[in-house]
Amino acid sequence: MSKALERREKLRESLILAAERSIAARGLAGLKTRELAREIGCANGAVYNLVEDMDELILRVGSRTLERLDAALTDAESKGATSPGETLVRIAIAYCDFAADNLELWRALFEHRMTPGKPIPDWAVDQQMDLFRHIYRPLATLFPKRPAAELGVTARSLFSAVHGMVALGLEQKLIAVPIEALRNEITSIVRAMIDGLALAARQGSAN
Amino acid sequence: MSKALERREKLRESLILAAERSIAARGLAGLKTRELAREIGCANGAVYNLVEDMDELILRVGSRTLERLDAALTDAESKGATSPGETLVRIAIAYCDFAADNLELWRALFEHRMTPGKPIPDWAVDQQMDLFRHIYRPLATLFPKRPAAELGVTARSLFSAVHGMVALGLEQKLIAVPIEALRNEITSIVRAMIDGLALAARQGSAN
């Protein structure tokens, strides 16, 4: 790599880290190109030599958040009882804890909307989709006869349901609950969903 | 009422309706005092003689949205099979359909954040809390022995889980699904949750 390319790469990394700190502190709405440029010591316009646009910058920060989330879910998956139902409960709780500990960065994952007409790049979609494996695997163990596409739908539904509980539970609105109470709620609802799905599967195969 | 007060009241209503049309068309981010003032034919500053601030204006629009949601849920509650489990499924589907049909106004209910340090006024909190009765009632029929506070927690969890499925399902992101598929997913997950909760209640009372 040439010296100039190397310097550009370093500056690009500094930019992404500066954006990450800014989002963590003030949320997506507080992100200002001018401040980031000053922080990493380059001209305002030079920011767009480092990333294509704000969308790319936010997606790069999101990618770092997803990497850490992935590590947290991997950790939860491997620890504790190996029953697939309890594994799913641990994954849900780990998701809740990650969101609580990384509130603004986690919110940014869902609040960010691409510039109208611009699709999310494939690398970002792939990274997000890849995270579903944490839910898919225990579900496949629980329901070995269910086709892959159907398991994919169930994984998505489970994720969305837990995400809803976490999102509204952590909002400073009327549904805000203490984190310990939220963990308990998630545990009983995930257990109920798994038990209910297992019951429906047994009844389905009995008919 | 004096002529002046009457005129103010009419203008205030026009303002709220103009804000509602604007949010429905362009979302919360597209709401501009200047445009609303022009639309109802008053000076920019005069808007704040009609409502206290943007927070109040957005909450008044939200109140109209919640009234219509309340009517849709009441309708769903009274129609069809009277079993409480199936009533909860119908309420969840009605919530999904309402969100799909009123996408931007429904999003605004959750995206709006009060000016920092300003609490949501009691009348708005009361109206939101009151909607939980649609979930609470069938749950109380399903679990007659459960204490009210516990039922309240379960109602909130059920709502949050369904809200999550609707919110991520309707987002134009990777989880977007056709509305008919989303309805089916919600139906099976709500049934699973109810069956699982009933199972846990039976096991709890058997121990």
Side-chain angles (χ1 to χ4, degrees), chain B residues 54-71:
Chain B
M54 268 305 208
D55 282 330
E56 196 206 338
L57 181 56
I58 293 167
L59 286 172
R60 293 289 169 195
V61 172
S63 173
R64 289 176 50 86
T65 310
L66 290 176
E67 264 175 35
R68 289 188 300 117
L69 174 60
D70 198 354

Side-chain angles (χ1 to χ4, degrees), chain B residues 27-45:
Chain B
L28 212 47
L31 199 63
K32 305 268 180 284
T33 314
R34 183 187 302 253
E35 282 171 26
L36 297 177
R38 196 178 46 213
E39 197 172 328
I40 64 169
C42 78
N44 288 348

Side-chain angles (χ1 to χ4, degrees), chain B residues 136-190:
Chain B
Y136 187 94
R137 271 195 303 234
L139 274 182
T141 313
L142 269 171
F143 306 112
K145 287 183 199 154
R146 200 166 288 193
E150 225 177 282
L151 282 173
V153 170
T154 309
R156 187 176 63 190
S157 297
L158 273 183
F159 168 70
S160 302
V162 170
H163 174 78
M165 284 188 276
V166 172
L168 297 187
L170 296 180
E171 266 302 330
Q172 283 99 21
K173 285 209 171 183
L174 67 160
I175 316 200
V177 286
I179 183 85
E180 198 43 49
L182 184 57
R183 281 204 200 99
N184 291 339
E185 284 183 48
I186 290 172
T187 300
S188 36
I189 291 292
V190 171

Side-chain angles (χ1 to χ4, degrees), chain A residues 104 107-113 120 125 128-129 132 153-154 156-166 168-169 171-177 181 185-186 188-189 191-197 199-200 202-203, chain B residues 104 107-113 120 125 128-129 132 153-154 156-166 168-169 171-177 181 185-186 188-189 191-197 199-200 202-203:
Chain A
E104 292 294 351
R107 272 188 187 148
L109 292 175
F110 295 91
E111 282 179 5
H112 172 235
R113 308 232 180 122
I120 304 179
V125 172
Q128 291 177 52
M129 293 306 289
F132 278 99
V153 170
T154 309
R156 187 176 61 192
S157 298
L158 273 183
F159 168 71
S160 302
V162 170
H163 174 78
M165 284 188 275
V166 172
L168 297 187
E171 266 303 330
Q172 283 99 21
K173 286 211 172 181
L174 67 159
I175 315 199
V177 285
E185 284 183 47
I186 290 173
S188 39
I189 291 292
R191 278 199 192 128
M193 281 194 285
I194 298 299
D195 290 347
L197 289 170
L199 195 69
R202 281 201 301 276
Q203 287 171 344
Chain B
E104 291 294 350
R107 273 189 186 146
L109 293 174
F110 295 90
E111 282 178 5
H112 172 235
R113 307 234 181 120
I120 304 178
V125 172
Q128 291 178 53
M129 293 307 288
F132 278 100
V153 170
T154 309
R156 187 176 63 190
S157 297
L158 273 183
F159 168 70
S160 302
V162 170
H163 174 78
M165 284 188 276
V166 172
L168 297 187
E171 266 302 330
Q172 283 99 21
K173 285 209 171 183
L174 67 160
I175 316 200
V177 286
E185 284 183 48
I186 290 172
S188 36
I189 291 292
R191 278 196 192 132
M193 282 194 284
I194 298 300
D195 290 347
L197 289 171
L199 194 69
R202 281 199 302 276
Q203 286 171 344

